[in-house]
């Protein structure tokens, strides 16, 4: 007999989301809906009528975790629309900034997921705030990795959060030889630390994969060998940086994208009839509560070739490096493998960076309304911004951010998991829910949205 249990809100991720799960008599998920419940901010609508210089700054404010990814994707979407090529040294600085942001984000994600895992060789779960080993040395290493990444980002981008150096047509300024050397020294120190952290995380993740049970709220919960498997495809535009419609051979196709509204995807109204007050933190939703994912979801559902796709580290490695592992633990493994790639990328870019080179295009067109898009491979996956710019003003703007792509795919990946570890499946996507929340009712042309919401 199917029952419905709800975890709301989910924890140890950015933003607010919930899980509405239909489960069988053994508590195994038959259908899972994972959806954003973060309030809508309507960044795309705020962009209309603004100058093309203003919009990347607005877009970066969608989130405090992903401002670098959104600044770069938004800037490059404007450049793609107006047909502006940027100098090589500007591109190198952007790539350094991008790679530093990914290192910082992986390290942060390590902190968020480690409490789910056991210290290898023990029955103790990680408490990174414990004043004992190995937690003390692991936490110190993670903090230093993040400090290194944020410092490199601040040098290349102006600030580590909401970077001020990128601009339409390139960058405001190049870096000095001394700043270049400092970034190289930091990247070399970081390379040693990320190798250590990667190997440590491999041991922790593989140890977890070999377990039969995990403990949740004092109960032993079976751990499926195929946790998080799904039958959807993967999508990635590059192993490190990304692509845009200015490329000779773009690696993303605008015509293959379609967006479905949530009421055509998520389950309709259900009544909660399974409750566990002991579930951390604060228990699950009380029995008798009504839930309606169709009406509560604050995102659209993007598809590529008519299907949801997974984006992120596993998708990148599967697309460009023949990585063939699947599921939740494969996502964790792939993410750690990107640690050293980021440091090597920074060092390669610095080798090629001419600190005397120009970083701003000689001519910056004002645009004729053509559609341009740019995708960068943000820590969580393909981050695609689309724009139409005419006479320097934005006519139309859209953001297809990684967690938006992953919501429907992760929902399918929940099938077969014990409901008590569904959050582990979600966390493997390193969600940034605030970035993904973009639906808004704007005018009479979208009357059906208003009607649906009013009925609910």
């Amino acid at each position: 007999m199917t029952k419905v249990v709800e975890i709301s809100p989910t924890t140890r991720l950015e933003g607010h989301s919930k899980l509405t799960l239909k489960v069988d008599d053994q508590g195994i998920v038959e259908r899972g809906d994972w959806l954003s419940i973060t309030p809508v901010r309507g960044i795309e609508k705020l962009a209309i009528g603004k100058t093309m210089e203003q919009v990347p700054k607005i877009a970066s404010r969608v989130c405090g975790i992903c401002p670098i990814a959104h600044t770069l994707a938004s800037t490059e979407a404007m450049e793609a629309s107006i047909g502006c090529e940027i100098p090589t040294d500007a591109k190198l600085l952007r790539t350094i900034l991008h790679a530093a942001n990914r290192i910082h984000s992986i390290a942060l994600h390590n902190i968020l997921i480690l409490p789910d895992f056991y210290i290898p060789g023990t029955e103790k779960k990680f408490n990174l705030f414990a004043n004992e080993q190995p937690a003390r040395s692991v936490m110190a290493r993670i903090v230093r990795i993040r400090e290194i990444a944020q410092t490199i980002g601040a040098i290349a981008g102006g600030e580590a959060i909401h970077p001020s150096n990128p601009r339409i047509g390139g960058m405001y300024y190049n870096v000095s030889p001394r700043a270049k050397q400092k970034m190289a020294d930091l990247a070399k120190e970081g390379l040693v630390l990320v190798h250590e952290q990667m190997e440590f995380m491999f041991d922790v993740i593989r140890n977890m994969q070999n377990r039969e049970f995990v403990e949740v709220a004092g109960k032993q919960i079976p751990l499926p060998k195929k946790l998080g498997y799904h039958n959807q495809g993967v999508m990635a535009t590059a192993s490190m940086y990304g692509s845009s419609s200015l490329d000779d051979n773009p690696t993303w196709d605008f015509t293959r994208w379609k967006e479905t509204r949530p009421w055509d995807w998520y389950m309709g109204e259900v009544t909660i009839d399974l409750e566990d007050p002991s579930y951390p933190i604060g228990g699950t939703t009380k029995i008798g509560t009504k839930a309606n994912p169709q009406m509560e979801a604050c995102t659209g559902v993007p598809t590529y070739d008519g299907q949801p796709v997974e984006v992120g580290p596993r998708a990148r490695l599967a697309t460009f490096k023949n990585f063939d592992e699947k599921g939740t633990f494969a996502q964790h493994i792939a993410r750690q493998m990107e640690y050293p790639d980021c440091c090597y990328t920074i060092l390669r870019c610095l080798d090629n960076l001419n600190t005397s080179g120009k970083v701003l295009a000689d001519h910056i067109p004002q645009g004729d309304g053509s559609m341009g898009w740019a995708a960068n491979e943000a820590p969580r996956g393909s981050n695609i911004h689309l724009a139409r710019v005419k006479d320097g003003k934005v006519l139309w703007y859209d953001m297809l951010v990684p967690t938006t792509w992953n919501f429907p795919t992760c929902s399918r990946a929940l099938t077969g998991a014990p409901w008590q570890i569904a959050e582990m499946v979600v966390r493997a996507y390193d969600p940034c829910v605030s970035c993904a929340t973009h639906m808004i009712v704007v005018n009479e042309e979208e009357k059906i949205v208003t009607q649906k919401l009013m009925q609910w």
Side-chain angles (χ1 to χ4, degrees), residues 74-94:
S74 181
T75 301
E76 294 179 6
M78 305 298 155
E79 291 166 349
S81 176
I82 63 177
C84 180
E85 300 278 358
I86 68 171
T88 299
D89 289 309
K91 191 73 174 183
L92 290 171
L93 284 173
R94 288 184 183 181

Side-chain angles (χ1 to χ4, degrees), residues 22-56:
K22 290 184 176 179
V23 304
D24 65 14
D25 290 337
Q26 285 71 49
I28 304 300
V29 176
E30 294 180 339
R31 172 178 175 139
D33 277 5
W34 174 45
L35 55 143
S36 167
I37 53 173
T38 300
V40 172
R41 282 152 306 160
I43 294 292
E44 289 94 337
K45 298 306 174 189
L46 287 172
I48 303 242
K50 304 293 191 302
T51 68
M52 59 182 174
E53 289 84 6
Q54 287 176 300
V55 172

